[in-house]
Each structure stands twice: as structure tokens, then as C-alpha cells.
Amino acid sequence: MQDTRALALTFEVSGLPPVKTEALSIFAAGHRQATRVRALLQAACTAAQRTGWTPLTGPIEVDMIMRCPPGHRTSDASTLLGGVCSVLQDKKRVANIGLAHLGVLVDVALWSDDRQIRRLSYVEEPAENFSYQVRVAAVPRMV
């Protein structure tokens, strides 16, 4: 029987991505990144539902295209990627903080754990307004 799951998912998000810059979890209720976290989770949820996506459990690659007005970069690539990847992995492992404020978005996960990431890319493009694109794909297992 052939596996018909989607092996790549690409989606757009308006605004800025969440950044991971401090010890306080970006999932904490009232965190200053809460609006960005919710926007990313909602965009990922919509794309996953549209394609029938199920979280990947094997090696993955994550690509991000950040679009921003020239001269208005908000953060460095590592904190942008760190925030996006933290939000899109399975959040059950951060159960030491309450996640009830996320509602059904708590279950949005495109992969199980960041340790699955084998390739990571970040590109900036000039644009009038802030937005970003995320692509997650399965990486073929090496034999």
C-alpha cells in the first residue's frame, strides 16, 4: 500500500515570526511573542488541514523566506528560525508550563522534535510589508 501523506508543506504568514531570544518560553501565557506564535500556529493549522498533513517523524528540512522592508530587519536569522521551529514542533514536551491558553492550536505540530532537522535554510527578500514563508519537507532516509 502506498503512503499518500503529504511530504512537503509550504505556507505564508503575514507579519513577523516569533523570535526565541530568552529563557522564558514563548508559549507562556501573556508572553510578548504570543500574537506571533498564534499567527504562525493558525497558518500552519490551515495549511495542514488543507493538505491532510500529519506530523513527520523522520528527518526533515525547514526553509524560511523572510520578507521585510529594506533596512528594517527585526532580528538575526538564528533567533527567527529558533522561534519558528520551536512553535512548529510538537509542544507536548513543554508541558511544564500551561498551554491551555492556546486552545486547539496546542495540537498543531508539523514534526515531532527539532532533533529531526537535517537541513535548515533562511533567505531574506525585500518587500513592502513584513511576511514570511515556511516550507517543511521530509528528507529521504539514507540507506
Side-chain angles (χ1 to χ4, degrees):
M1 181 177 217
Q2 182 179 359
D3 185 358
T4 58
R5 293 182 309 150
L7 296 178
L9 182 68
T10 303
F11 58 95
E12 300 279 336
V13 186
S14 296
L16 293 165
V19 295
K20 191 170 182 178
T21 60
E22 55 193 75
L24 178 64
S25 173
I26 61 177
F27 297 113
H31 191 281
R32 61 190 177 105
Q33 298 289 315
T35 302
R36 295 179 187 186
V37 167
R38 291 187 76 77
L40 176 54
L41 286 171
Q42 187 59 60
C45 182
T46 299
Q49 288 175 338
R50 184 183 69 245
T51 62
W53 183 266
T54 56
L56 297 174
T57 57
I60 64 167
E61 61 185 26
V62 179
D63 305 309
M64 181 177 160
I65 300 172
M66 179 71 201
R67 298 183 188 97
C68 55
H72 288 87
R73 187 174 189 196
T74 62
S75 196
D76 62 81
S78 64
T79 58
L80 293 167
L81 286 166
V84 168
C85 290
S86 289
V87 171
L88 296 178
Q89 71 179 339
D90 189 342
K91 286 156 280 307
K92 290 177 182 68
R93 59 185 197 80
V94 292
N96 57 339
I97 64 167
L99 299 176
H101 64 281
L102 292 175
V104 297
L105 295 177
V106 74
D107 293 324
V108 175
L110 302 186
W111 62 86
S112 300
D113 189 281
D114 281 350
R115 289 183 209 121
Q116 295 169 242
I117 298 172
R118 297 297 182 268
R119 296 181 195 140
L120 195 57
S121 72
Y122 174 87
V123 175
E124 283 188 17
E125 294 179 351
E128 253 183 65
N129 299 305
F130 289 103
S131 68
Y132 58 103
Q133 179 186 75
V134 177
R135 178 181 172 275
V136 177
V139 173
R141 294 184 189 265
M142 298 297 176
V143 181

